[in-house]
Amino acid sequence: MQSSATSAASAPAAAEPVMACTFCAKPSTEVGRLVAGPGVFICNECVALCTELIAAPPVGEPRELVRKIELSDEELLAHLPRVAAASAQVEQQLTSFVRQGRRQGITWTRIGAALGMTRQSAWERFSGEE
Ligand SMILES: [Zn+2]
């Protein structure tokens, strides 16, 4: 995990997108702290909840827990926009990291290799050029 964190007290610049917790989808402006990971973020509230869950006796293996979650159609539909928003934010972070790499002089060939894709595919996906 990266050591960078942002505080709700520091307002982002006008062009800077507001980052949101990947777990609860709350924007950085609505939480006390947002800690950055590789393309994802977690807020202080989710960290506190995770700390409680980790301290509690284990309920089962993570794979078992995922299978046990049964959502109604309405719950599932309400969850979809949050998953899509998290996915979009991760994509935005990935693009930002790739562009930083380009500014540092890393070739499209090496970026593509790191992502398991061709140089051409990396360029088409991240360059922003047509
Ligand atoms: Zn959160």
Side-chain angles (χ1 to χ4, degrees):
M1 188 169 289
Q2 291 177 301
S3 60
S4 63
T6 183
S7 167
S10 60
E16 189 177 323
V18 174
M19 293 301 152
C21 176
T22 308
F23 293 84
C24 70
K26 287 182 185 171
S28 61
T29 53
E30 291 182 19
V31 297
R33 300 278 293 192
L34 201 60
V35 178
V40 295
F41 299 90
I42 189 166
C43 74
N44 59 301
E45 295 171 18
C46 286
V47 168
L49 179 60
C50 288
T51 301
E52 279 180 42
L53 292 171
I54 290 169
V59 182
E61 293 298 314
R63 286 179 187 224
E64 295 170 21
L65 293 175
V66 169
R67 279 192 223 113
K68 287 179 186 171
I69 296 173
E70 291 184 27
L71 302 174
S72 70
D73 290 357
E74 293 311 310
E75 289 170 328
L76 189 141
L77 289 170
H79 197 57
L80 289 181
R82 293 192 292 265
V83 175
S87 175
Q89 182 170 267
V90 169
E91 181 66 21
Q92 180 185 34
Q93 288 291 303
L94 178 58
T95 299
S96 178
F97 273 90
V98 167
R99 289 183 178 173
Q100 178 182 333
R102 288 294 298 150
R103 285 191 299 276
Q104 292 174 200
I106 299 173
T107 65
W108 284 114
T109 300
R110 288 184 67 199
I111 289 169
L115 294 170
M117 61 177 60
T118 65
R119 177 200 66 79
Q120 182 68 28
S121 294
W123 180 84
E124 287 173 3
R125 182 169 168 188
F126 301 109
S127 74
E129 298 175 30
E130 295 292 323

